[in-house]
């Protein structure tokens, strides 16, 4: 029954996963561009963000139409509201990946070339893991997986403090690294914000499944 | 955030919590009590058990909707409230249907008096072949009212409460009730039902013969009446149930026994945002059968 409705719900679901996978790739590429000094890869990430924005708009249009024409209720309605919110979070996460890629392009034009602290690489890995895990929680409708994001988020916060201390030390020792150091500080900030977006996604997933609100980000 | 407050409310069940769920509601000190307590209530047509051990508390001065697929026993349950089945041969009840604490199936209960306190509005508007005025005055006269001034006053008041007065006040004695539009006829029937000051109004798919505009007028009317009456409405239109009711009961026929059963009864907010039973979820989402 309600075949058209079921198809429309499936389309929205698929589009969300598509946007999620684009953001995952964007972040992975931005981090790889940073650690391998690949300016071309960084430029690709910036260009790829437009597709994420387009898909986000398309998802919201579909959800708007579904609510107006199919009157979804209960779990369907919660899923659609969560999907719309998650799409926005992903779109913002994509913006951070794009922001990181842009900073990488600028960073590669600085002299002297500074070493990238391993803690930043680690932050990138954990943020990426959180992104994947938040999407897994959505697909599997798994509250435990969503809740698991809180712990990783705390690790990301700690790593950010550590990385920032290292960057400040670097600048203190050699003031010529000031410009590069400031760019790296922006990158750690964006990684931390990106990780927060994934805890927001986890909270939406919990609402979708349980109809309750829980904070995953103390 | 409204969603958050709706969720907090829906977590606690029971209609004592109904107070405050609607923006238009009464003060928090008002207590909500059960007007009708259905207790292990079963109903039979001869040997056939049409509904099986239903228990629910219908709150006073609220709107309770009964939803469910065709044949699940909604009308049977509704009509059992004012013993409309009395004339049906072989029809009988088990368990209790308590009205203000009194089991209406107690032999001591006078069904005529009961029906005066429990009015009924049917699916197809059924005005009498009388003038608009006499349609409403009829029940009053049957109930022994003789004072013409009082009757006229009561008719006007009822037509106003039924939101029909302005449309018919110029032809009260000229037009037959049957000459009105479908939606007006239904509001006339509601005026007739409320004229004798019932406490409960039962409505069995009151809008199914009406166009959307006329239906919305009836819904507005139900909303206006909820403060003075306890309303129980059977509807096939789930969005209508969601719009007008405070509590929703979902019934389903048991495949093995063919008897209708109550699957879930809860605040309407809860039923349409996070029902507890998967069968309710499937039905209200249209993923049924
Ligand atoms: N007078 C009667 N005699 C015998 N069986 C009856 C009678 N009235 C109803 N039934 C049976 O009882 C069951 C419940 O009927 P009921 O009319 O209460 O269902 P309903 O939920 O109101 O359905 P609908 O949505 O189609 O109006 C059905 O199987 C029906 O055939
Ligand atoms: Mg019926």
């Amino acid at each position: 029954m309600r075949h058209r409705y079921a198809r429309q719900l499936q389309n929205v679901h698929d589009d969300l996963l598509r946007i999620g996978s684009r953001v995952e790739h964007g972040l992975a590429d931005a981090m790889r561009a940073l650690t391998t000094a690949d300016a071309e890869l960084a430029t690709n990430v910036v260009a790829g963000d437009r597709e994420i924005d387009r898909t986000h708009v398309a998802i919201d249009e579909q959800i708007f139409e579904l609510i107006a024409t199919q009157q979804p209720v209960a779990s369907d309605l919660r899923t659609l509201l969560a999907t719309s919110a998650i799409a926005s979070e992903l779109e913002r996460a994509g913006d951070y990946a794009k922001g990181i890629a842009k900073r990488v392009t600028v960073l590669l034009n600085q002299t002297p070339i500074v070493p990238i602290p391993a803690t930043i690489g680690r932050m990138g890995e954990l943020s990426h893991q959180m992104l994947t895990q938040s999407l897994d929680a959505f697909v599997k409708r798994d509250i435990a997986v969503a809740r698991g994001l809180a712990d990783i988020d705390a690790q990301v916060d700690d790593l950010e403090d550590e990385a920032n201390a290292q960057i400040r030390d670097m600048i203190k020792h050699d003031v010529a690294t000031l410009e590069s150091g400031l760019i790296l500080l922006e990158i750690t900030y964006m990684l931390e914000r990106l990780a927060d977006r994934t805890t927001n996604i986890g909270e939406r997933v919990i609402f979708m499944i349980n109809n309750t609100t829980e904070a995953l980000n103390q | 955030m409204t969603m958050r407050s709706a969720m907090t409310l829906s977590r606690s069940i029971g209609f004592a919590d109904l107070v405050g769920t609607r923006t238009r509601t009464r003060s928090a000190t008002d207590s909500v009590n059960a007007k009708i307590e259905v207790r292990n209530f079963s109903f039979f047509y001869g040997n056939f058990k049409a509904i099986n051990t239903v228990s629910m508390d219908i709150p006073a001065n609220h709107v309770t909707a009964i939803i469910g697929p065709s044949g699940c026993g909604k009308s049977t349950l509704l009509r059992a409230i004012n013993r409309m089945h009395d004339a049906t041969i072989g029809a009988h009840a088990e368990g209790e249907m308590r009205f203000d604490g009194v089991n209406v199936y107690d032999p001591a209960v006078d069904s005529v008096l009961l029906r005066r306190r429990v009015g009924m509005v049917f699916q197809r508007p059924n005005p009498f072949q009388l003038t608009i005025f006499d349609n409403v005055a009829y029940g009053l006269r049957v109930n022994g009212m003789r004072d013409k001034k009082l009757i006229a006053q009561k008719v006007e008041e009822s037509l106003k409460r039924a939101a029909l007065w302005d449309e018919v006040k110029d032809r009260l004695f000229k037009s037959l009730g049957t000459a009105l539009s479908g939606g007006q006829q239904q509001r006339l029937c509601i005026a007739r039902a409320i004229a004798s000051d019932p406490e409960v109004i039962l409505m069995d798919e009151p809008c199914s013969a009406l166009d959307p505009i006329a239906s919305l007028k009836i819904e507005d009317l139900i909303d206006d009446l909820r403060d003075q009456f306890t309303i129980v409405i059977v509807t096939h239109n789930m969005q209508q149930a969601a719009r007008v009711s405070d509590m929703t009961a979902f019934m389903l026929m048991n495949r093995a026994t063919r008897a209708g059963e109550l699957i879930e009864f809860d605040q309407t907010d809860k039923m349409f945002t996070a029902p507890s039973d998967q069968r309710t979820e499937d039905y209200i989402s249209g993923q049924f059968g």
Side-chain angles (χ1 to χ4, degrees):
Chain A
M1 263 175 56
R2 296 193 78 182
H3 298 304
R4 181 176 143 80
Y5 177 51
R7 211 167 49 236
Q8 288 172 317
L9 290 175
Q10 188 62 43
N11 284 346
V12 171
H13 182 264
D14 293 349
D15 275 355
L16 188 78
L17 296 188
R18 206 164 290 138
I19 207 176
S21 137
R22 286 227 163 81
V23 177
E24 282 180 282
H25 280 111
L27 174 63
D29 288 349
M31 289 310 291
R32 201 146 46 87
L34 174 68
T35 49
T36 64
D38 188 337
E40 196 187 325
L41 191 54
T43 315
N44 288 346
V45 173
V46 176
D49 187 60
R50 243 170 275 139
E51 188 54 34
I52 294 175
D53 291 348
R54 263 197 295 275
T55 313
H56 173 226
V57 171
I59 287 177
D60 267 353
E61 280 172 1
Q62 291 176 76
I63 291 175
F64 185 43
E65 187 195 316
L66 259 164
I67 290 175
T69 59
Q70 300 281 15
Q71 288 90 41
V73 293
S75 155
D76 289 344
L77 181 58
R78 296 203 308 276
T79 302
L80 286 175
L81 293 179
T83 303
S84 171
I86 292 171
S88 299
E89 299 292 351
L90 287 172
E91 192 263 325
R92 299 307 304 275
D95 284 347
Y96 287 123
K98 177 178 76 174
I100 293 168
K102 275 187 179 165
R103 301 303 185 285
V104 171
T105 328
V106 183
L107 187 70
L108 294 178
N109 288 323
Q110 303 294 319
T111 45
I113 300 282
V114 298
I116 309 300
T119 40
I120 297 189
R122 185 74 189 127
M123 278 184 82
E125 283 165 22
L126 287 183
S127 312
H128 190 271
Q129 184 189 330
M130 290 176 76
L131 198 50
T132 308
Q133 187 165 330
S134 67
L135 291 166
D136 270 3
F138 174 77
V139 173
K140 296 182 185 140
R141 305 181 77 89
D142 190 325
I143 290 191
V145 172
R147 287 193 181 127
L149 290 163
D151 273 348
I152 317 178
D153 188 52
Q155 290 177 47
V156 171
D157 290 350
D158 292 345
L159 280 169
E160 189 198 11
D161 292 344
E162 205 178 310
N164 289 353
Q166 289 167 347
I167 297 163
R168 276 195 298 270
D169 276 350
M170 176 184 80
I171 299 171
K172 273 186 222 149
H173 281 105
D174 180 1
V175 82
T177 63
L178 178 65
E179 285 300 324
S180 298
L182 291 177
I183 293 170
L184 289 178
L185 286 174
E186 285 186 284
I187 291 179
T188 59
Y189 170 77
M190 286 189 277
L191 284 171
E192 189 271 321
R193 296 299 301 142
L194 193 150
D196 283 350
R197 296 284 164 186
T198 72
T199 59
N200 291 350
I201 294 175
E203 288 167 2
R204 298 294 178 166
V205 169
I206 292 174
F207 168 72
M208 169 179 89
I209 302 167
N210 243 7
N211 196 40
T212 54
T213 42
E214 259 177 48
L216 292 179
N217 193 348
Q218 57 281 1
Chain B
M1 179 170 153
T2 23
M3 195 179 298
R4 198 183 291 257
S5 61
M7 284 181 316
T8 326
L9 282 164
S10 59
R11 238 179 265 125
S12 45
I13 302 176
F15 55 69
D17 298 305
L18 270 173
V19 174
T21 55
R22 299 216 166 229
T23 41
R24 52 174 301 292
T25 39
R26 25 201 118 243
S27 78
T29 49
D30 279 354
S31 65
V32 182
N33 42 31
K35 186 73 183 173
I36 299 159
E37 296 156 280
V38 188
R39 284 289 172 279
N40 292 319
F41 189 82
S42 301
F43 199 88
F44 301 78
Y45 294 106
N47 291 327
F48 174 63
K49 191 188 254 191
I51 51 179
N52 186 30
T53 55
V54 169
S55 293
M56 61 194 268
D57 283 357
I58 297 173
N61 296 102
H62 283 83
V63 180
T64 297
I66 304 176
I67 61 171
S70 189
C72 70
K74 304 178 295 294
S75 298
T76 299
L77 179 63
L78 190 79
R79 289 156 171 265
I81 296 174
N82 72 349
R83 284 177 44 184
M84 289 277 292
H85 303 290
D86 277 8
T88 309
I89 295 173
H92 64 282
E94 265 176 21
E96 290 187 39
M97 176 72 71
R98 289 189 219 134
F99 181 90
D100 278 347
V102 176
N103 182 12
V104 303
Y105 286 90
D106 188 312
V109 170
D110 178 341
S111 66
V112 174
L113 289 179
L114 173 67
R115 280 178 214 137
R116 206 170 286 170
R117 294 173 67 186
V118 184
M120 178 112 191
V121 175
F122 297 90
Q123 178 172 5
R124 316 199 103 270
N126 56 346
F128 306 131
Q129 284 282 347
L130 298 170
T131 64
I132 292 167
F133 184 92
D134 284 337
N135 258 281
V136 183
Y138 183 87
L140 299 170
R141 293 190 186 117
V142 168
N143 288 345
M145 197 182 277
R146 291 286 168 265
D147 183 336
K148 286 201 171 134
K149 242 171 116 181
L150 198 61
I151 289 177
Q153 199 181 316
K154 204 79 196 157
V155 167
E156 176 174 343
E157 182 194 310
S158 303
L159 285 169
K160 279 180 175 162
R161 276 153 108 190
L164 188 59
W165 177 252
D166 288 339
E167 290 161 59
V168 300
K169 59 172 188 257
D170 301 326
R171 46 181 167 141
L172 287 179
F173 302 97
K174 278 180 257 166
S175 297
L176 292 180
T178 45
L180 295 171
S181 76
Q184 289 171 329
Q185 286 187 21
Q186 197 59 305
R187 277 178 283 144
L188 181 64
C189 293
I190 292 174
R192 190 175 67 194
I194 61 185
S196 47
D197 290 321
E199 294 151 56
V200 176
I201 304 176
L202 309 176
M203 301 185 176
D204 197 348
E205 299 182 50
C207 301
S208 65
L210 306 182
D211 70 53
I213 306 275
S215 296
L216 287 175
K217 276 195 185 153
I218 301 286
E219 288 182 23
D220 278 348
L221 176 55
I222 291 172
D223 194 51
D224 290 339
L225 297 177
R226 94 170 75 219
D227 286 335
Q228 300 131 45
F229 305 96
T230 299
I231 298 174
V232 187
I233 176 173
V234 168
T235 173
H236 272 285
N237 180 335
M238 275 173 287
Q239 293 311 313
Q240 178 170 72
R243 285 192 296 265
V244 303
S245 72
D246 302 291
M247 301 291 292
T248 298
F250 170 57
M251 293 178 71
L252 197 57
M253 188 203 284
N254 182 309
R255 278 172 200 236
T257 63
R258 319 292 298 163
E261 293 172 354
L262 180 65
I263 302 298
E264 188 170 354
F265 178 57
D266 210 329
Q267 293 182 30
T268 300
D269 293 359
K270 170 91 167 40
M271 293 284 278
F272 284 88
T273 56
S276 307
D277 194 294
Q278 186 61 40
R279 291 167 291 182
T280 313
E281 171 98 41
D282 290 347
Y283 183 70
I284 62 170
S285 308
Q287 306 289 340
F288 200 79

